[in-house]
Amino acid sequence: MQQTQAITLFVPGILRDYCNGASRLSLDAPNVRAALAYLERHYPALHVNLCEETGKVRRHLNVFVNSDNVRDLQGLETALAPGDSLTILPAVSGG
């Protein structure tokens, strides 16, 4: 059996109630889409707060792989490698 090293998903405080208070989750996924599918299966309440019905990340959230916004990469198809971090951040706006 091949052993894989998980990625770490960092969850912002405002969303931790939807994943039993966890600030980080460890999961195996080849890309961002698969990571979100994992959340849909294991933490459906968190997934609903992250994604629209179409599966797209909600507009007021940013998802980063390491330090890069997935919108600047390949979006949901952005590849994940063992040891990567996936961070969810609410968008900041103001005037």
Side-chain angles (χ1 to χ4, degrees):
M1 176 183 245
Q2 181 180 357
Q3 186 172 357
T4 60
Q5 182 181 353
I7 61 143
T8 301
L9 171 72
F10 291 95
V11 182
I14 195 165
L15 296 174
R16 291 179 189 162
D17 285 346
Y18 305 110
C19 55
N20 303 318
S23 62
R24 61 181 70 188
L25 302 169
S26 181
L27 57 105
D28 291 320
N31 59 34
V32 175
R33 184 180 304 281
L36 293 173
Y38 174 91
L39 295 178
E40 185 174 23
R41 287 189 309 277
H42 297 280
Y43 300 96
L46 176 60
H47 183 268
V48 166
N49 281 277
L50 296 177
C51 297
E52 299 173 351
E53 295 76 21
T54 63
K56 293 171 110 179
V57 175
R58 294 189 181 278
R59 295 185 72 175
H60 65 279
L61 295 174
N62 292 303
V63 178
F64 290 83
V65 172
N66 302 316
S67 61
D68 298 311
N69 192 319
V70 298
R71 290 184 175 129
D72 298 330
L73 300 171
Q74 288 81 39
L76 296 180
E77 302 309 320
T78 300
L80 298 171
D84 278 350
S85 62
L86 190 60
T87 304
I88 301 164
L89 291 176
V92 178
S93 63

